[in-house]
């Protein structure tokens, strides 16, 4: 009998076409690779095993690994041997699709590096401490790109003088345009 747990993911890794780390997050207090050196060895071995493979799932170093590559980037989602592959696949696809949408379908090393903040936010919206939070890429994208609160939403008594002036000017302009 296996233990049921919310902790599904032990790592999410993005490597470039040469096996160098772009982004990696390892989860869990019982992480099998606690030091950067051990992580690098794991990532190198994982890349060597998958760079020419055509599959999307492997068993590597006692972990289930689902992966996907695009141009010069490899996306990996790593789980324990007992983990449900379909759940890991759903997590991988949601994260990949969210990143693809955020980067306007230009999923390549340079674009990811230029927009690393969005990619990390998308990852954080997908997985938190190894727990899958969201598997709908559209929801992930909307959370990452949520517009900032506008100053018109702040009560006028809590705005600075300049903010209040701009808010009043916008409202007057709106009323004038409606009247025309």
């Amino acid at each position: 009998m296996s233990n049921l747990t919310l902790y599904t993911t032990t790592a999410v890794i993005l490597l470039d076409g040469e096996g160098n780390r772009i982004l990696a997050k390892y989860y869990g207090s019982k992480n099998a690779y606690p030091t950067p050196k051990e992580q690098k060895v794991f990532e190198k071995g994982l890349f060597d095993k998958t760079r020419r493979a055509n599959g999307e799932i492997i068993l590597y170093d006692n972990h289930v690994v689902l992966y996907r590559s695009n141009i010069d980037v490899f996306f990996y989602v790593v789980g324990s041997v007992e983990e449900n592959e379909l759940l890991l696949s759903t997590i991988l696809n949601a994260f990949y699709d969210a990143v693809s949408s955020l980067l306007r379908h230009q999923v390549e090393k340079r674009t990811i590096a230029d927009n690393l903040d969005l990619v990390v936010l998308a990852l954080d919206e997908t997985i938190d401490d190894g727990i899958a939070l969201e598997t709908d890429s559209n929801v992930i994208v909307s959370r990452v790109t949520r517009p900032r609160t506008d100053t018109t939403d702040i009560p006028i008594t809590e705005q600075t003088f300049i903010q209040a002036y701009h808010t009043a000017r916008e409202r007057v302009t709106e009323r004038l345009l409606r009247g025309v």
Side-chain angles (χ1 to χ4, degrees), residues 5 7 10 18 24 30 39 53 56 59 82 84 87 91 122 133:
T5 178
Y7 297 95
T10 55
E18 285 119 36
K30 296 178 184 175
Q39 292 171 3
E56 57 185 38
L59 184 62
E82 299 88 23
N84 182 335
L87 181 58
I91 292 168
L133 296 178

Side-chain angles (χ1 to χ4, degrees), residues 4 20 29 38 40 42 53 77 92 123 130 141 146 149 154:
L4 294 177
N20 299 315
S29 57
E38 291 171 314
K40 193 143 185 97
F42 175 74
V77 172
L92 174 64
L123 179 56
V141 169
R146 179 171 291 155
T149 56
I154 303 171

Side-chain angles (χ1 to χ4, degrees), residues 8-63:
T8 58
T9 310
T10 55
V12 174
I13 305 165
L14 272 69
L15 301 177
D16 68 10
E18 285 119 36
N20 299 315
R21 179 189 287 187
I22 298 172
L23 170 67
K25 279 198 162 190
Y26 289 81
Y27 304 104
S29 57
K30 296 178 184 175
N31 184 353
Y33 312 102
T35 67
K37 184 178 180 181
E38 291 171 314
Q39 292 171 3
K40 193 143 185 97
V41 168
F42 175 74
E43 292 165 15
K44 182 183 180 337
L46 188 59
F47 178 75
D48 290 341
K49 184 125 175 147
T50 60
R51 69 177 165 190
R52 291 195 177 93
N54 291 334
E56 57 185 38
I57 182 171
I58 63 167
L59 184 62
Y60 178 74
D61 199 21
N62 209 25
H63 287 89

Side-chain angles (χ1 to χ4, degrees), residues 27-170:
Y27 304 104
S29 57
K30 296 178 184 175
N31 184 353
Y33 312 102
T35 67
K37 184 178 180 181
E38 291 171 314
Q39 292 171 3
K40 193 143 185 97
V41 168
F42 175 74
E43 292 165 15
K44 182 183 180 337
L46 188 59
F47 178 75
D48 290 341
K49 184 125 175 147
T50 60
R51 69 177 165 190
R52 291 195 177 93
N54 291 334
E56 57 185 38
I57 182 171
I58 63 167
L59 184 62
Y60 178 74
D61 199 21
N62 209 25
H63 287 89
V64 174
V65 180
L66 279 92
Y67 64 98
R68 185 171 179 174
S69 65
N70 188 31
I71 303 175
D72 60 350
V73 180
F74 287 81
F75 286 72
Y76 298 94
V77 172
V78 182
S80 68
V81 174
E82 299 88 23
E83 196 51 64
N84 182 335
E85 295 88 1
L86 291 175
L87 181 58
L88 293 175
S89 176
T90 303
I91 292 168
L92 174 64
N93 290 330
F95 177 57
Y96 178 87
D97 292 344
V99 168
S100 180
S101 292
L102 288 167
L103 301 180
R104 294 173 173 62
H105 306 289
Q106 296 179 353
V107 183
E108 51 194 54
K109 180 182 176 182
R110 180 174 170 87
T111 313
I112 289 174
D114 290 345
N115 296 284
L116 194 59
D117 56 338
L118 293 177
V119 175
V120 171
L121 284 172
L123 179 56
D124 289 344
E125 288 296 333
T126 307
I127 300 169
D128 183 33
D129 198 30
I131 299 172
L133 296 178
E134 186 59 62
T135 57
D136 183 345
S137 61
N138 295 324
V139 173
I140 296 166
V141 169
S142 71
R143 288 181 182 163
V144 170
T145 60
R146 179 171 291 155
R148 291 185 171 77
T149 56
D150 194 13
T151 55
T152 57
D153 296 339
I154 303 171
I156 200 136
T157 56
E158 294 179 19
Q159 294 180 13
T160 65
F161 178 74
I162 296 296
Q163 288 174 327
Y165 170 74
H166 287 295
T167 302
R169 189 175 75 186
E170 286 175 17

